[in-house]
């Protein structure tokens, strides 16, 4: 019986071909384990690409994603009978995870060395001659070198080795380093939940393409997903909603939805991310998008704004009116949650505190909110800024930096200098928002809605899965801007909002890839990226590696 992971690999590979080659209606089925390859006949991958890297003309460029900074192609290929390694222990585990079983040896084919190669913390030099030698100033850089090797390394189809352990790799010298530091994806687990195995699956694929920041959107109106010991109702009540929206209608499915992570599960995901040199950036969205928290503890909301105050976890999507009260009780709640988040995510230097789409409608009817605004001599819209400033200053005291959505620039004028602004509102203007952030001393991460929102359609026929709206094809993602006025741009990030990513990990894969590959190249190669057509050709050859990221032994496929 095919494994779930194998089926996911099948689906993703075919989805990529649908998008790249125009086979919008193509599907696939697993024919068996890789040991049954002879029975299965030619794979779909072989039929579509016609030739492998090593049967192609010698002048054909190497198909590496993201494109390296500098490549010197040498003559011929290096044949490797088995994977022998001389490397730091953590990188030996990486080789085993991404390539296969290894044998430690001082006279190894794979030699990974810590050395200052003048390419920064994440840069590396890969030299393939009679050995595969990777040199870097840090283990993070060596890790990136292994990811490049994984894309170059191929099984020798002509080998007589019954164990299939003979490999080939082109002789090459590569010097590489990223253009941007922050290369990330955001996953919303509030609207629809993703199990730890699904999250780790996404992280592993990110790592293959050298992405290094995972933004975990853990709270929103539709569900609270992480435990806070002081506030048990956040899970007991806040993780449960009575129903979910039914497609793009006003109706619901009348099906209870109740999911959350345990502390141990979160720690496991964090540990896995660390092994891939990916920093996890957790998000507690405040003071808006807080209906699940208010449903758990109604006194945290603007209970004095209505005669009938019975908040429930949201069963609809969109920007909803529930906001945390600006009262001392609610402010202390936000500090308690952030303290717990800092404890649980102890190695995360950034914590996202939201600040987007905050309604003032309940504040305008709340005597408590009106009094807080009067005492501080601010308008209602600036109550948001006050709460974000208190939250970010609390994080500063915990030696963490806050991240906020760029909406916060409209209401918060005194955020700590280390606060990072994540600009999503492309319709307001990246340059305008970047200049505003720069004037206040904030660096930015670009998350532009028209280029990097992966919850939108990527095929015009809408052949696979649902989407929130619009059309964001691969080519548009490849044109993602990396400048925002005078701002210091730390990097770029793709957003996987999950209102309509509701069919599990397979659905998530389809929305994330191959658009995530395009974003990874933009972030890594920057202004030096070689162009969309070049990228597209390389991506067609990398489909097997995307499959590998999902399943160590890619299956053989046939057209149904």
């Amino acid at each position: 019986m095919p494994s779930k992971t194998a089926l996911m690999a099948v689906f993703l590979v075919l989805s990529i071909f649908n998008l790249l080659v125009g086979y919008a209606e193509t599907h696939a089925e697993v024919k068996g384990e890789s040991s049954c390859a002879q029975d299965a006949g030619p794979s779909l991958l072989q039929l579509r690409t016609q030739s492998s890297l090593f049967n192609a003309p010698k002048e054909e460029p190497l198909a590496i994603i993201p494109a390296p900074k500098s490549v010197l192609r040498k003559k011929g290929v290096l044949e490797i009978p088995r994977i022998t390694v001389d490397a730091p222990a953590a990188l030996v585990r990486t080789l085993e995870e991404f390539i296969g079983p290894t044998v430690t040896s001082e006279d190894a084919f794979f030699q990974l060395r810590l050395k200052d190669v003048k390419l920064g913390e994440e840069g590396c030099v890969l030299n393939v001659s009679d050995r595969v030698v990777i040199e870097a100033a840090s283990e993070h850089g060596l890790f990136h070198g292994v990811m490049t090797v994984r894309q170059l390394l191929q099984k020798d189809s002509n080998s007589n080795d019954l164990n299939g352990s003979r490999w080939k790799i082109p002789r090459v010298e590569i010097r590489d380093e990223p253009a941007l530091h922050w290369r990330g994806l955001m996953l919303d687990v509030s609207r629809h939940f993703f199990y730890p195995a699904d999250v780790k699956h996404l992280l592993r694929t990110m790592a293959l393409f050298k992405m290094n920041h995972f933004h975990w959107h853990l709270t929103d109106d539709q569900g609270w997903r992480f435990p806070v010991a002081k506030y048990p109702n956040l899970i007991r009540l806040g993780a449960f909603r009575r129903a979910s929206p039914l497609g793009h209608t006003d109706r619901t499915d009348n099906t209870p939805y109740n999911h959350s992570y345990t502390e141990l599960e979160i720690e496991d995901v964090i540990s896995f991310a660390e092994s891939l040199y990916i920093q996890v950036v957790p998000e507690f969205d405040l003071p808006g998008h807080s209906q699940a928290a208010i449903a758990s503890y109604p006194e945290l909301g603007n209970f004095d704004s209505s005669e009938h105050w019975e908040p429930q976890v949201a069963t609809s999507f969109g920007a909803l009116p529930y906001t945390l009260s600006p009262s001392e009780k609610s402010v202390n709640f936000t500090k308690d949650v952030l303290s717990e988040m800092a404890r649980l995510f102890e190695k995360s230097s950034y914590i996202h505190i939201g600040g987007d789409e905050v309604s003032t409608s309940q504040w305008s009817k709340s005597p408590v909110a009106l009094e807080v605004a009067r005492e501080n001599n601010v308008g209602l819209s600036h109550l948001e800024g006050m709460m974000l400033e208190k939250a970010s200053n609390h994080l500063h005291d915990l030696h963490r930096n806050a991240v906020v959505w760029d909406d916060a620039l409209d209401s918060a004028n005194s955020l700590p200098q280390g606060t990072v602004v994540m600009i999503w509102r492309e319709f307001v203007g990246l340059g305008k928002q970047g200049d505003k952030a720069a004037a206040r001393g904030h660096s930015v991460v670009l998350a532009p809605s028209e280029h990097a929102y992966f919850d939108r359609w990527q095929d015009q026929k809408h052949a696979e899965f649902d989407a929130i709206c619009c059309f964001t094809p691969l080519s548009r993602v490849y044109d993602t801007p990396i400048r925002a006025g005078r701002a210091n741009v730390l990097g770029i990030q793709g957003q996987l909002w999950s209102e309509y990513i509701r069919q599990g990990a397979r659905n998530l894969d389809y929305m994330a890839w191959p658009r995530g590959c395009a974003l990874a190249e933009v972030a890594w190669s920057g202004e030096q990226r070689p162009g969309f057509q070049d990228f597209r050709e390389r991506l067609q050859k990398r489909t097997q590696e995307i499959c590998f990221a999902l399943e160590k032994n890619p299956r053989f496929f046939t057209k149904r």
Side-chain angles (χ1 to χ4, degrees), residues 73-200:
R73 187 73 180 268
K74 303 177 184 179
K75 184 178 180 180
V77 298
L78 173 64
E79 296 185 357
I80 303 172
R82 63 176 181 167
I83 308 299
T84 55
V85 301
D86 181 8
L91 277 305
V92 172
R93 291 191 294 272
T94 298
L95 285 161
E96 291 177 342
E97 170 67 17
F98 281 88
I99 296 175
T102 66
V103 176
T104 303
S105 169
E106 292 184 359
D107 186 30
F109 272 101
F110 288 82
Q111 298 184 3
L112 279 61
R113 305 167 179 166
L114 289 171
K115 178 181 177 181
D116 185 3
V117 292
K118 310 300 182 184
L119 290 171
E121 179 71 12
E122 294 188 77
C124 69
V125 175
L126 167 64
N127 199 330
V128 181
S129 52
D130 60 343
R131 295 286 187 273
V132 178
V133 179
I134 305 173
E135 296 178 325
S138 70
E139 289 189 359
H140 194 172
L142 292 176
F143 180 87
H144 289 324
V146 173
M147 295 304 100
T148 300
V149 167
R150 179 61 197 89
Q151 294 195 27
L152 293 175
L153 201 62
Q154 298 283 324
K155 282 284 184 70
D156 183 358
S157 60
N158 297 318
S159 173
N160 293 321
D161 187 342
L162 296 178
N163 295 322
S165 60
R166 192 172 185 85
W167 300 81
K168 287 185 177 182
I169 186 170
R171 298 182 190 272
V172 66
E173 181 177 331
I174 294 174
R175 296 181 62 84
D176 206 3
E177 64 178 330
L180 298 175
H181 167 65
W182 189 303
R183 307 177 303 281
L185 288 180
M186 183 280 293
L187 179 62
D188 165 18
V189 297
S190 174
R191 277 58 175 260
H192 284 97
F193 184 78
F194 293 91
Y195 294 99
D198 301 333
V199 176
K200 291 163 73 173

Side-chain angles (χ1 to χ4, degrees), residues 327-388:
S327 65
E328 183 178 359
K329 184 178 188 69
S330 295
V331 169
N332 288 337
F333 164 76
T334 65
K335 291 180 179 179
D336 289 341
V337 171
L338 291 172
S339 293
E340 179 67 3
M341 194 169 261
R343 183 195 67 81
L344 189 54
F345 295 84
E346 60 179 345
K347 294 185 180 180
S348 296
S349 55
Y350 297 100
I351 293 178
H352 206 303
I353 58 174
D356 62 313
E357 300 177 323
V358 179
S359 171
T360 62
S361 62
Q362 291 182 349
W363 288 341
S364 68
K365 301 172 186 177
S366 164
V368 170
L370 291 168
E371 179 62 18
V372 172
R374 187 192 65 79
E375 288 178 351
N376 290 275
N377 195 30
V378 298
L380 288 178
S381 63
H382 283 80
L383 290 176
E384 172 195 354
M386 287 179 53
M387 297 184 75
L388 291 173

Side-chain angles (χ1 to χ4, degrees), residues 184-231:
L185 288 180
M186 183 280 293
L187 179 62
D188 165 18
V189 297
S190 174
R191 277 58 175 260
H192 284 97
F193 184 78
F194 293 91
Y195 294 99
D198 301 333
V199 176
K200 291 163 73 173
H201 162 77
L202 178 68
L203 290 167
R204 190 169 186 270
T205 316
M206 288 173 61
L208 186 69
F209 299 104
K210 303 183 176 75
M211 302 181 98
N212 66 351
H213 281 75
F214 173 61
H215 174 181
W216 206 356
H217 187 80
L218 289 162
T219 74
D220 217 298
D221 299 307
Q222 294 76 20
W224 186 283
R225 305 300 179 208
F226 83 100
V228 181
K230 190 174 180 179
Y231 299 93

Side-chain angles (χ1 to χ4, degrees), residues 393-465:
N393 282 322
H394 181 67
L395 285 175
H396 184 266
D397 292 341
L398 296 172
H399 307 289
R400 309 300 175 89
N401 293 315
V403 183
V404 296
W405 297 109
D406 68 285
D407 312 46
L409 293 173
D410 299 335
S411 64
N413 299 315
S414 302
L415 295 168
Q417 289 292 299
T419 302
V420 172
V421 176
M422 191 167 279
I423 304 178
W424 73 275
R425 297 185 301 168
E426 197 166 358
F427 53 87
V428 175
L430 298 183
K432 176 182 176 181
Q433 295 300 86
D435 285 344
K436 190 181 292 188
R440 300 179 193 177
H442 303 307
S443 295
V444 305
V445 171
L446 301 185
S449 56
E450 298 302 312
H451 289 81
Y453 268 40
F454 296 167
D455 56 341
R456 300 183 175 193
W457 299 106
Q458 59 180 321
D459 63 300
Q460 290 180 308
K461 294 185 178 182
H462 301 178
E464 303 289 353
F465 296 112

